[in-house]
Amino acid sequence: MTSVSVEARPDLRTPARLAGVTAAVVALAVTELARAVTADVPSLVVSVGDVFVDGLPGDVTRTVIGAIGTADKPALLIGIVVISALIGARTGTAALDRPWVGDTVFAAFALLGALAGLRAPLATDGGAVVSAVLGGVAGAGTLRLLLGTARSWTAPAHPGGADAGRRQFLVLAGSVGLFAGVVGLVGRSLGLSRTVESARRDVVLPEVRGGTTPTAADAGLDVDGITPLVTPNDDFYRIDTALTVPQVDPASWSLRIDGMVDEPVDLTYADLLELPVEEHQVTIACVSNEVGGDLVGNARWLGVPLRDLLERAGVRDGATQVMGHSVDGFTAGFPTELLDDPDRPALVAVGMNGEPLPIAHGFPARLIIGGIYGYVSATKWLRRIELTTLEAADGYWIPRGWAKEAPIKTQCRIDTPRGDQGAGRVPVAGVAWAPTRGISKVEVQVDEGPWEAARLGPGTNDDRWVQWVYDWRPTPGRYRLRARATDGAGDTQTADVAPPAPDGATGYPTRVVNVS
Ligand SMILES: Nc1nc2c(c(=O)[nH]1)N[C@H]1C(S)=C(S)[C@@H](COP(=O)(O)O)O[C@H]1N2
Ligand SMILES: [Mo]
């Protein structure tokens, strides 16, 4: 095929630009897809971004990183993709007359990509080179194919004429580019979760230097079907507004404490792990939990005491609210006054049951405050702690109809028996919680009979739930069981039935059992 001069066919310029952009997107998408397939391959875009950041003088780097945020440098990465697309567009028009220009540019892409990728800490050298070469070959090939198609379709000989051919070409190249873009983004997000999960696995949590870590007592009561005292991470309820779980790379994450403070404090993940940590068993609950529901769990939370961090920043007089901000925009606020009670646990938590926080539960850091529902306290993927006033700001759920202040209500749950039972010995058992107040008593009622005291399991702190069991010896029949808990101050939970909104469900948990 003879090449057509650009000057002679100016209407080839737009198709050529589009072909070049599409080829660039294909090249990048191939490398991101390879990254999603195996951890041996680095993300080429991220590697190039790292070279860029490392190459800048230190203070510029800090300003840039500060300005572009923590969520894996999104602005920098978008910038690299845009520049690649612009270079692709220029390459497209240049390659119209001189096809070797396209090959050369994509060879340079492969070379520079491989060099950047070789520096990526978690990938192998082979993975870096192979993926960069694959990307370069895919880009060069796509460009040649599309330019060839553009030439023949925009020729007057095309059925329907050159204009129709041109339109068809734009649609073709546009769809290929769009498809590659989507594949690249999917590859990118899969690759990112791989990066963050492997960074998480590499974390070594600090030794505990304070707090409570009950161990022997954690065995709990030996009753079939009762909730374990410590909820395993995989079974822990998850509630958040995130459509996709935020993947926060701890290497670029930092926490800022600001607002009504004497001196804002910035901490990297490494800084945080160097501070003295405590571990506390704290039962957290979702305000949406129905009576008898399972949106409640107890874990060993390891973290830096929030009070230590606030002391560093120096909370100014007049600050009445602590507002946690998540990387995804979620916010949760509670009165600073709650921190005046030295017995209430308040942590910037980094560990959960001896592991780094699972990604779904807020990695790299979240807030855990004893005694108040999650939506006013437990900000996951924490990025910022702002000191403000109760009047000046409302957390995410407050304008959506939930109470501004929300202590966890005294509540209990019947775990067993479930379903039909044989007569004889049928233990009735479950958990009860009133975090920070503790549980002093759980009682069980059979039909309209008297309230009978259940036996409480090991109770080592007021912030976690207790197990309870009542030895029931029923004869055949159909029964209604109810349970109620009394907190450490002697207040029994209310029998009044209320829905979760606006500040937590109430009423006694009930279960109907057939005994034969
Ligand atoms: N970033 C963020 N943090 C959040 C939420 C959220 O939607 N986004 N939900 C809160 C609510 S309503 C609850 S009950 C707890 C649940 O924590 P878990 O998912 O670890 O059990 O997280 C809190 N932290
Ligand atoms: Mo919640």
Side-chain angles (χ1 to χ4, degrees):
M1 178 186 308
T2 54
S3 64
V4 184
S5 141
V6 179
E7 286 70 32
R9 297 288 317 280
D11 58 335
L12 260 179
R13 271 179 181 271
T14 304
R17 283 199 193 101
L18 187 59
V21 170
T22 299
V25 173
V26 167
L28 291 175
V30 164
T31 61
E32 289 304 324
L33 200 59
R35 161 86 189 128
V37 172
T38 160
D40 287 346
V41 169
S43 163
L44 196 138
V45 181
V46 172
S47 314
V48 170
D50 284 337
V51 170
F52 179 72
V53 169
D54 292 350
L56 292 172
D59 47 342
V60 179
T61 312
R62 237 167 288 123
T63 320
V64 171
I65 301 228
I68 61 188
T70 59
D72 205 41
K73 315 157 207 154
L76 179 56
L77 301 186
I78 290 168
I80 291 170
V81 172
V82 168
I83 290 169
S84 306
L86 291 176
I87 295 176
R90 186 71 193 87
T91 306
T93 52
L96 260 181
D97 282 340
R98 288 151 293 169
W100 59 267
V101 172
D103 300 339
T104 311
V105 169
F106 279 103
F109 166 96
L111 183 67
L112 296 179
L115 286 177
L118 286 174
R119 301 164 24 114
L122 300 168
T124 62
D125 291 355
V129 173
V130 169
S131 118
V133 170
L134 281 179
V137 169
T142 304
L143 184 61
R144 276 183 174 266
L145 264 172
L146 288 179
L147 286 180
T149 311
R151 281 194 201 93
S152 58
W153 286 16
T154 53
H158 186 274
D163 275 353
R166 192 164 178 273
R167 271 197 306 278
Q168 279 174 13
F169 174 80
L170 296 183
V171 170
L172 169 80
S175 335
V176 171
L178 212 61
F179 177 72
V182 169
V183 167
L185 281 178
V186 170
R188 171 91 203 105
S189 77
L190 291 175
L192 182 58
S193 55
R194 192 191 281 288
T195 309
V196 174
E197 184 51 40
S198 76
R200 175 181 171 268
R201 269 198 297 267
D202 288 345
V203 169
V204 180
L205 290 176
E207 298 280 316
V208 180
R209 288 181 240 173
T212 51
T213 29
T215 45
D218 286 350
L221 294 176
D222 182 18
V223 178
D224 276 352
I226 200 169
T227 301
L229 262 180
V230 177
T231 315
N233 289 354
D234 288 344
D235 299 341
F236 210 94
Y237 81 96
R238 177 189 158 204
I239 291 286
D240 49 62
T241 58
L243 293 179
T244 58
V245 178
Q247 301 290 333
V248 182
D249 186 347
S252 53
W253 175 86
S254 66
L255 173 64
R256 186 172 180 84
I257 302 165
D258 64 5
M260 298 173 70
V261 297
D262 296 333
E263 189 69 51
V265 171
D266 287 292
L267 293 163
T268 66
Y269 188 58
D271 294 339
L272 203 58
L273 295 190
E274 270 169 24
L275 298 174
V277 290
E278 295 182 357
E279 186 167 66
H280 294 270
Q281 282 202 35
V282 181
T283 295
I284 67 168
C286 185
V287 69
S288 301
N289 198 30
E290 303 277 354
V291 173
D294 54 11
L295 301 180
V296 52
N298 181 63
R300 290 190 285 127
W301 305 101
L302 175 92
V304 177
L306 176 61
R307 291 176 188 85
D308 292 0
L309 296 175
L310 295 187
E311 201 169 302
R312 269 197 184 209
V315 175
R316 287 215 205 113
D317 285 350
T320 51
Q321 183 172 217
V322 178
M323 184 72 78
H325 295 254
S326 165
V327 301
D328 65 355
F330 173 87
T331 50
F334 58 90
T336 47
E337 195 184 80
L338 295 184
L339 300 174
D340 295 345
D341 169 7
D343 293 330
R344 181 189 301 268
L347 294 174
V348 172
V350 293
M352 180 176 182
N353 293 329
E355 280 180 37
L357 273 184
I359 293 173
H361 294 290
F363 181 77
R366 75 177 303 174
L367 283 170
I368 291 290
I369 313 295
I372 52 179
Y373 286 113
Y375 81 103
V376 286
S377 64
T379 309
K380 304 192 277 189
W381 314 291
L382 183 67
R383 160 167 67 195
R384 175 178 174 220
I385 298 169
E386 179 198 14
L387 275 297
T388 177
T389 63
L390 288 163
E391 298 74 34
D394 281 333
Y396 181 88
W397 283 112
I398 312 311
R400 294 168 170 84
W402 296 84
K404 175 94 184 184
E405 295 187 29
I408 296 177
K409 292 179 177 173
T410 302
Q411 194 49 272
C412 61
R413 181 171 75 200
I414 302 172
D415 292 331
T416 185
R418 279 173 196 275
D420 298 349
Q421 301 291 319
R425 220 184 132 249
V426 178
V428 180
V431 283
W433 59 94
T436 70
R437 300 181 300 280
I439 293 290
S440 61
K441 185 167 68 173
V442 175
E443 296 158 293
V444 173
Q445 185 193 45
V446 180
D447 294 330
E448 294 303 324
W451 285 95
E452 306 269 7
R455 181 160 58 88
L456 298 186
T460 41
N461 88 50
D462 289 339
D463 304 313
R464 77 170 183 184
W465 57 19
V466 293
Q467 296 174 316
W468 54 267
V469 58
Y470 169 69
D471 291 310
W472 185 35
R473 288 159 198 281
T475 53
R478 182 181 169 83
Y479 300 93
R480 185 198 64 181
L481 301 171
R482 297 204 293 174
R484 68 179 187 194
T486 299
D487 72 10
D491 294 324
T492 300
Q493 70 177 91
T494 175
D496 296 344
V497 174
D503 62 358
T506 60
Y508 295 159
T510 303
R511 187 154 288 181
V512 173
V513 185
N514 288 309
V515 177
S516 51

